[in-house]
Amino acid sequence: MSWIPFKIGQPKKQIVPKTVERDFEREYGKLQQLEDQTKKLQKDMKKSTDADLAMSKSAVKISSDLLSNPLCEQEPSFLEMVTAFDTAMKRMDSFNQEKVNQIQKTVIEPLKNWGMEGCDGSILLLCSKGEDLLHLSLHLDLTGHLNGFSSVFPSLNMAVKRREQTLQDYKRLQSKVEKYEEKERTGPVLAKLHQAREELRPVREDFEAKNKQLLEEMPKFYSSRIDYFKPSFEALVRAQVVYYTEMHKIFGELTAQIDQPGLSDEQRERDNDAKLSELRALSIVADD
């Protein structure tokens, strides 16, 4: 989000107190920062799931390559081990895909939609009619809560732009009133002054209403963010728990299939070292 005030001649009278303008900029700035942080989080989550998928696909590729190794044709015991490994990798990949799909639906898409401009037209319409932002966001269903929450941001941007445009109209008309007030009070001048004041009054009231609404609703909207983010990240944790529970089961079963019972890790390491020593002793691999 970005907010660039229009350039215009300033009236002599201070229309908006500096403290009020400072409060407005502070609250709007917090929401701008929130949107930027959310976009970054969405990108990081996407990178994480892409890396997850690449990992499981690579594991499947390794097991597939091992199955095509000539050793599997020559050694039935090795073929049995690699086949068990290949089955485990494919199961892992399947569960990983399911986990990523769940994260995509419950976390990444809602985060991605945060800054989208194509939000619900009814929300935009209601916001344009003065419906408060928090009221709109609280009436969204649980499934689409983050999508709805994010769709309020474009509406907020529009509300801020409308406030800024009304402020510029307010300043322009206030300058016009001041110009006639400084002139000699002749009949034509007084008539124009009256007309200028009549033009100013509804614009001033409109600005004050818009400004008041935003100053009240932006802090509420910001403070409600946890209520909307929390369910998505709870879903993320649940997806990870299910995935790693299944991984524990899959690799436990794989270990039972290929493991040699009764051997400790130290014994396996010694056996492997002994076999490597035998290989190194062969003349074809001896150092020059």
Side-chain angles (χ1 to χ4, degrees):
M1 292 185 295
S2 61
W3 174 40
I4 305 175
F6 298 93
K7 302 293 184 181
I8 193 170
Q10 298 293 319
K12 295 179 181 179
K13 180 181 177 181
Q14 182 70 42
I15 290 179
V16 183
K18 291 182 179 180
T19 54
V20 173
E21 196 64 28
R22 190 162 53 243
D23 289 345
F24 183 89
E25 291 175 359
R26 182 187 66 248
E27 295 302 328
Y28 189 50
K30 285 161 63 177
L31 293 178
Q32 288 178 301
Q33 184 181 35
L34 178 60
E35 185 187 30
D36 291 341
Q37 291 172 339
T38 304
K39 287 180 178 179
K40 183 178 183 301
L41 180 59
Q42 182 268 327
K43 290 179 181 178
D44 290 342
M45 285 296 305
K46 184 65 167 60
K47 289 179 182 178
S48 175
T49 53
D50 286 347
D52 274 355
L53 286 176
M55 179 275 295
S56 62
K57 296 298 181 187
S58 295
V60 171
K61 179 67 166 57
I62 290 171
S63 66
S64 176
D65 289 345
L66 283 171
L67 277 175
S68 63
N69 191 296
L71 273 176
C72 287
E73 298 177 6
Q74 302 166 6
E75 295 289 339
S77 60
F78 185 65
L79 174 61
E80 184 179 353
M81 181 184 298
V82 172
T83 300
F85 178 67
D86 182 62
T87 300
M89 294 306 98
K90 288 176 178 176
R91 289 176 64 194
M92 178 185 72
D93 184 50
S94 176
F95 279 109
N96 194 36
Q97 183 65 63
E98 186 177 334
K99 178 195 69 174
V100 168
N101 289 341
Q102 185 69 16
I103 292 173
Q104 182 76 22
K105 292 176 183 178
T106 59
V107 182
I108 295 177
E109 283 302 323
L111 291 174
K112 182 179 179 180
N113 291 336
W114 182 272
M116 288 178 61
E117 294 181 359
C119 63
D120 190 327
S122 62
I123 292 179
L124 284 173
L125 180 62
L126 288 170
C127 281
S128 68
K129 292 181 178 179
E131 288 284 343
D132 65 74
L133 298 169
L134 186 63
H135 177 79
L136 289 170
S137 62
L138 289 177
H139 278 73
L140 298 161
D141 59 55
L142 180 62
T143 303
H145 68 283
L146 275 175
N147 286 311
F149 190 57
S150 64
S151 70
V152 180
F153 256 102
S155 303
L156 172 62
N157 280 328
M158 290 182 64
V160 170
K161 288 179 181 178
R162 285 195 296 270
R163 173 205 182 261
E164 181 60 27
Q165 182 61 64
T166 305
L167 176 59
Q168 302 314 313
D169 292 341
Y170 185 4
K171 289 179 178 180
R172 176 178 56 80
L173 292 171
Q174 179 64 35
S175 296
K176 185 177 180 181
V177 168
E178 291 174 358
K179 181 183 71 174
Y180 289 124
E181 286 177 339
E182 292 171 355
K183 290 186 176 183
E184 183 179 353
R185 297 300 182 95
T186 63
V189 169
L190 289 174
K192 290 180 179 180
L193 175 59
H194 175 74
Q195 182 180 356
R197 285 173 173 168
E198 287 298 304
E199 292 176 359
L200 173 63
R201 181 176 54 79
V203 174
R204 180 180 63 243
E205 292 173 354
D206 187 28
F207 170 76
E208 290 174 350
K210 285 184 170 66
N211 191 59
K212 181 175 182 292
Q213 178 195 358
L214 284 167
L215 284 174
E216 289 177 351
E217 295 303 324
M218 285 194 296
K220 294 178 182 178
F221 183 59
Y222 182 79
S223 65
S224 71
R225 67 197 184 282
I226 299 301
D227 294 333
Y228 292 91
F229 281 119
K230 188 177 178 182
S232 278
F233 289 100
E234 287 176 347
L236 171 62
V237 171
R238 287 194 296 271
Q240 297 282 16
V241 168
V242 170
Y243 173 74
Y244 285 108
T245 299
E246 291 297 331
M247 290 308 98
H248 182 270
K249 180 180 177 182
I250 288 171
F251 283 94
E253 293 173 355
L254 177 62
T255 300
Q257 286 179 275
I258 68 175
D259 209 1
Q260 291 179 310
L263 290 179
S264 66
D265 290 341
E266 291 77 9
Q267 289 174 313
R268 290 190 184 90
E269 187 174 351
R270 285 196 297 268
D271 288 347
N272 287 334
D273 288 341
K275 291 174 183 177
L276 285 173
S277 296
E278 291 176 5
L279 290 173
R280 293 191 188 102
L282 295 174
S283 60
I284 60 172
V285 296
D287 294 334
D288 292 335

